[in-house]
Amino acid sequence: LDPDKFFYTNKELDFALVWVHPTSSDNKPLSDFGFLRLIKETGKAVIGEYVSIIQHPRGNQKQVAIRENRVIDVFDDFVHYVTDTEPGSSGSAVLNDQWEVISLHHSGVPKKDANGNYLTKDNQIWNSGMGEDKIAWIGNEGIRISSIVKHLEKALPNMTTKEKPILDEFLKLTG
C-alpha cells in the first residue's frame, strides 16, 4: 500500500481507498490475482437473494461464507443480510448471486427495542457489562457500493491535482 500516493477515507460510509503497488512484496504482479469490479449502478442487492462474503475474520486465513445468506433489507446507503461473520470481517466484499460486489461488510445489526436500546437473546435491555455475546443479532450491515461510488464522484472535484487523475481512473472502472 502507498497512502502517500493516494489515500481517501470517509467516516460516514466507513471506507478507505488506498493506492496499491502493482506488485507484491515478493515481486509478483498483483494482476495475476484478478480483482472484483465495483459497479456504480444500483439494483445489485435484492431482498431475498443469496449473498456470499469473502472475509478474513479475526485476521485469520481467508474464509468464504456462501449460500443460505440472504439480503433482508435494502436502504439508501446500506444493505442488511443474514450471514455468518465474526469480528475483523469489516471491509469484506459482499457479493450477490452473480458475484457482483453489492457492499462492503460494515457491522452487525443488533435487535433493538422501541427506544433504540440493544436487546439480549432473552429480550432484556443489554449493557456493556454483559458482553457482546449476549446481544440478539438480527443480521449484518454492508455499505452499498453504489453509495460509495456516488460519494467518490461528488468528492472528485475537491481532490488535489495529484489525486484527481487517480480517482478519475478508478471511477472509470465502475461505469
Side-chain angles (χ1 to χ4, degrees):
L1 302 177
D2 188 352
D4 291 331
K5 184 161 182 164
F6 187 90
F7 179 82
Y8 181 82
T9 187
N10 179 269
K11 186 175 183 177
E12 182 181 305
L13 294 178
D14 193 22
F15 78 93
L17 199 56
V18 183
W19 178 266
V20 178
H21 288 283
T23 55
S24 66
S25 57
D26 58 355
N27 227 17
K28 293 181 182 172
L30 294 183
S31 59
D32 289 354
F33 295 96
F35 65 95
L36 297 169
R37 183 171 170 255
L38 302 183
I39 302 169
K40 73 177 179 179
E41 284 81 22
T42 60
K44 297 177 297 295
V46 178
I47 294 174
E49 185 175 31
Y50 290 107
V51 293
S52 300
I53 299 182
I54 301 171
Q55 59 186 327
H56 293 267
R58 301 186 188 276
N60 293 325
Q61 294 291 320
K62 177 172 47 179
Q63 295 179 23
V64 181
I66 56 173
R67 307 309 294 170
E68 298 313 315
N69 310 306
R70 292 187 186 253
V71 174
I72 57 174
D73 220 336
V74 179
F75 303 95
D76 288 343
D77 292 330
F78 306 97
V79 176
H80 286 179
Y81 43 91
V82 179
T83 193
D84 187 19
T85 61
E86 291 186 51
S89 296
S90 293
S92 298
V94 180
L95 302 112
N96 64 15
D97 234 8
Q98 293 74 44
W99 285 92
E100 297 167 323
V101 184
I102 64 169
S103 68
L104 294 182
H105 178 67
H106 166 68
S107 68
V109 178
K111 183 176 180 183
K112 297 179 184 178
D113 66 12
N115 295 320
N117 296 306
Y118 288 14
L119 296 176
T120 62
K121 294 172 185 171
D122 58 357
N123 280 324
Q124 301 301 310
I125 294 176
W126 176 84
N127 67 60
S128 59
M130 296 176 171
E132 286 191 10
D133 61 317
K134 301 289 186 213
I135 297 174
W137 298 101
I138 59 171
N140 283 299
E141 181 174 88
I143 310 296
R144 292 178 67 177
I145 292 301
S146 54
S147 294
I148 291 171
V149 172
K150 186 188 321 179
H151 173 84
L152 290 168
E153 288 174 332
K154 289 179 182 175
L156 182 62
N158 301 320
M159 294 284 157
T160 66
T161 54
K162 179 182 91 168
E163 297 167 328
K164 268 185 185 178
I166 294 170
L167 182 55
D168 189 50
E169 187 65 27
F170 172 80
L171 289 171
K172 285 178 185 174
L173 295 172
T174 69

